[in-house]
Amino acid sequence: MKPVALIVDDEPDILELLDITLSRMEIDTKKATDLAQARTLLTKQTFDLCLTDMRLPDGNGIDLVKLISQNHPQLPVAVITAHGNMESAIQALKAGAFDFASKPIDLQMLRQLVRSALKLEHKGAAVRPDAAQPETQLLGQSKAIERIRAMILKLARSQAPVYISGESGTGKELAARLIHEQGPRADGEFTAVNCGAIPQELMESEFFGHAKGSFTGAVADKRGLFQQAEGGTLFLDEVADLPLQMQVKLLRAIQEKKVRPVGMQKEEPVDVRIISATHKNLAELVAQGEFRQDLFYRINVIELHIPALRERREDIALLAEHMLEQIARHNGLEKISVEKEALERLSQYDFPGNVRELENILERALTLCDGNRISSDDILLPESAGETPLAEQELPLESYLERMEREAIIRALDETRWNRTAAAKKLGISFRQLRYRLDKLGID
C-alpha cells in the first residue's frame, strides 16, 4: 500500500507543488485548506505524514501540531514556514513537529524530509528503549534513568535540535548516540566532535570543508564534519568552547541547512541533525556575553538533562558489574566479582567525575585486588588515600587517582627489581592484569 500524506495549505500553488512532489515519490495525498478540514480528515482516516503551512485562515500550523501530538502521537508532522522565520520554526519544533521546511520550498530538502518521516513511521512501535546496540545501552533502574530513556525515545521521533546538559562523565555522548540509533537517521553516520579540541584557525575548514588551494597546506578538496554527517547526526560536544566568530557561522549553517566550504563561492545543502552538549552552564555564558543568545536559542530547542551519578545511587552496583564484565571480556580475564562491602563503599561516594570516574576506580581496583575479587580495601577513593585532600590539590580527580595507581605499581616493580611476575604477585594481580595496567599507564 502507498503511504498517505495530509497536506494543509490555503495557497493552491503550494498545494499543487506538494501534491505533484509527493505523487512522484509514490505517496497519495489528501488536501485541506484550513484547520477545520484537516481536523475532519484526521478523524476519517489514518495518515503516514502531515505537511502543514504555518499560516492558515482559521488558525496556524502550531495548533495542528499540538492537535496531532495529543491525538495522533505516531503521526510525524512538518511545518512550512516563511523564509527566515526561525522563531516560528522553533515554536513548531517545541510543540512536537518532526521538522520544518522554509519557503521558497527546496524540493530536494523536502524529499529528504519526507523520506526521513516515512522511515520513522515505518519503525513505529518497533523502536524500544533496549533497541540500541549493546555498547550504547543506558544502564540503570532508577526513576531518573527511566525518565531519560522515555525522553530519548520521544526525542528520537523528532528532528529538532537537542541540547544535552549535565556534569562531566555523566554520559551525554551516550545519550546522543541513543537518540541517533533509535531515530530515522540510524542508517546514517553519527559524527561526534569535541569543539574544544579543534585549533581555532582550522575550525571553519574542519566543520565545513575546504577547496584545494584555498589556503597554505590545502593540497586537496576536503569534506567537513557537516558533509561527513550527511543524512545522519552531528554531535557537538563541549559546544560552549566554540569561539564567537565560529558561533556566527555555525548558526547560519544550522538555520539555512547549507554550508560553504573554505575557498568555494557556492553553498552546499546539508541534511544533518544537530545534537549539542556541554558540562558548562550555557545560560550563564549567554548572560556574560561569551555565548551568542541566538545560537543558544537555536540549539536549545529541547533540553535533555543527564543526572549526576550521586542522584541515582541505586544504579551504581549495576553499572559496576556491567563495567567489570566489559573489562574482563576485553582483556581475556576471568569473571570479576565485587564484595558487598566494596559496593556499599562505592554507593556512599559522591563521584564528582560520575560514570567515567566509576570506571577508572574499578580499573584501578582490578589492578590492586587479590585474584579476581575486589574488596573494600581495593577501592581507592580520594578521601581514603592518606594524602593531601583532593580539594587542596591542583590535579584533576582522574590525574590524582592515576598518580596513586602509578606510584603503587612502580613501588612494587622497584621492590622486585622490575621482575613483572614478582611485582604482579606482590600487587595481588595476575601477570596479564599488570601488563594491561602498564600499557594503559604508559609505564615502560
Side-chain angles (χ1 to χ4, degrees):
M1 273 180 67
K2 286 184 179 180
V4 184
L6 172 62
I7 50 179
V8 189
D9 202 305
D10 62 334
E11 294 182 48
D13 290 349
I14 298 290
L15 270 182
E16 186 178 359
L17 176 65
L18 295 175
D19 184 30
I20 292 170
T21 303
L22 296 180
S23 296
R24 287 176 177 169
M25 296 176 72
E26 298 294 312
I27 300 168
D28 288 335
T29 62
K30 292 287 182 180
K31 306 180 191 68
T33 56
D34 56 29
L35 276 176
Q37 285 185 24
R39 288 193 192 99
T40 302
L41 285 169
L42 284 165
T43 60
K44 288 182 177 179
Q45 71 178 95
T46 302
F47 293 96
D48 301 290
L49 166 70
C50 176
L51 297 173
T52 179
D53 192 24
M54 181 60 77
R55 290 188 176 184
L56 297 169
D58 54 348
N60 62 49
I62 292 177
D63 294 329
L64 187 56
V65 170
K66 290 177 179 176
L67 175 76
I68 289 173
S69 295
Q70 187 173 351
N71 300 318
H72 312 276
Q74 298 301 312
L75 173 59
V77 52
V79 172
I80 300 167
T81 65
H83 178 68
N85 193 344
M86 285 309 301
E87 189 171 340
S88 293
I90 291 171
Q91 283 180 336
L93 292 169
K94 284 182 180 289
F98 167 77
D99 206 345
F100 72 93
S102 298
K103 294 178 181 176
I105 296 172
D106 182 316
L107 293 183
Q108 182 184 339
M109 292 176 69
L110 176 66
R111 284 191 286 267
Q112 182 59 49
L113 182 157
V114 169
R115 280 193 288 267
S116 293
L118 292 179
K119 206 182 290 182
L120 179 68
E121 184 63 17
H122 178 69
K123 277 190 165 190
V127 179
R128 306 179 312 279
D130 60 348
Q133 301 299 319
E135 63 271 19
T136 51
Q137 287 183 16
L138 190 62
L139 295 172
Q141 298 171 340
S142 61
K143 288 183 178 178
I145 284 299
E146 290 292 348
R147 283 195 297 271
I148 295 299
R149 275 197 282 260
M151 187 69 171
I152 284 172
L153 264 182
K154 187 175 180 181
L155 293 175
R157 291 190 56 82
S158 167
Q159 296 300 291
V162 177
Y163 165 58
I164 304 177
S165 61
E167 297 177 8
S168 291
T170 48
K172 296 187 289 295
E173 182 173 342
L174 173 60
R177 284 186 182 275
L178 284 166
I179 293 169
H180 169 78
E181 286 182 7
Q182 296 180 21
R185 295 178 175 269
D187 295 335
E189 289 291 323
F190 177 87
T191 304
V193 54
N194 186 327
C195 296
I198 304 175
Q200 191 166 337
E201 63 274 13
L202 297 177
M203 209 163 256
E204 190 174 354
S205 167
E206 286 294 314
F207 274 96
F208 309 134
H210 64 246
K212 179 181 178 181
S214 55
F215 55 86
T216 304
V219 295
D221 290 350
K222 179 191 173 184
R223 296 167 74 236
L225 292 163
F226 270 84
Q227 291 95 327
Q228 289 174 32
E230 175 67 24
T233 302
L234 180 58
F235 176 57
L236 305 174
D237 197 11
E238 297 305 341
V239 70
D241 292 340
L242 285 174
L244 287 169
Q245 183 183 4
M246 191 62 203
Q247 290 176 30
V248 178
K249 293 175 179 175
L250 178 63
L251 175 65
R252 177 173 172 77
I254 295 172
Q255 289 191 165
E256 301 297 326
K257 298 186 179 181
K258 293 178 182 177
V259 298
R260 179 181 293 167
V262 177
M264 298 279 282
Q265 299 301 314
K266 191 177 178 183
E267 289 186 321
E268 300 176 3
V270 286
D271 171 37
V272 298
R273 184 181 190 180
I274 300 293
I275 300 179
S276 55
T278 181
H279 71 282
K280 297 178 181 177
N281 188 322
L282 267 191
E284 275 186 13
L285 294 178
V286 170
Q288 293 164 10
E290 295 178 25
F291 198 85
R292 289 183 64 95
Q293 186 172 25
D294 46 7
L295 180 58
F296 176 61
Y297 184 58
R298 188 65 189 88
I299 63 175
N300 189 24
V301 173
I302 302 172
E303 181 176 351
L304 175 66
H305 179 73
I306 308 297
L309 190 52
R310 62 184 171 277
E311 295 169 8
R312 54 182 187 108
R313 294 180 189 275
E314 58 267 51
D315 291 333
I316 290 174
L318 179 65
L319 285 167
E321 288 173 12
H322 175 75
M323 288 173 180
L324 288 171
E325 278 179 18
Q326 286 195 316
I327 294 170
R329 186 168 62 250
H330 290 163
N331 296 285
L333 305 174
E334 294 177 14
K335 185 177 179 181
I336 305 156
S337 60
V338 189
E339 291 181 0
K340 184 181 177 182
E341 291 79 8
L343 287 174
E344 287 176 355
R345 190 140 177 263
L346 286 171
S347 67
Q348 292 166 7
Y349 178 57
D350 276 349
F351 287 101
N354 292 291
V355 179
R356 191 181 296 129
E357 183 189 358
L358 172 61
E359 186 171 14
N360 289 337
I361 287 171
L362 290 172
E363 286 185 339
R364 292 181 178 92
L366 185 58
T367 303
L368 301 171
C369 73
D370 184 12
N372 282 6
R373 187 170 184 82
I374 295 175
S375 71
S376 179
D377 292 338
D378 300 320
I379 304 294
L380 293 182
L381 302 176
E383 70 265 26
S384 63
E387 297 185 14
T388 310
L390 182 65
E392 296 176 21
Q393 296 194 46
E394 293 182 2
L395 279 175
L397 176 68
E398 194 169 324
S399 302
Y400 172 61
L401 292 173
E402 190 174 284
R403 189 189 71 184
M404 289 165 51
E405 181 183 6
R406 182 187 293 274
E407 288 175 359
I409 291 174
I410 290 176
R411 188 163 54 246
L413 286 166
D414 284 340
E415 289 172 1
T416 58
R417 297 185 178 182
W418 284 74
N419 182 318
R420 295 187 181 194
T421 303
K425 189 174 181 182
K426 191 174 187 67
L427 289 165
I429 60 177
S430 69
F431 179 77
R432 181 178 286 176
Q433 286 172 313
L434 176 60
R435 190 172 60 188
Y436 164 70
R437 301 310 301 165
L438 289 173
D439 182 57
K440 183 158 181 131
L441 292 167
I443 300 173
D444 188 2

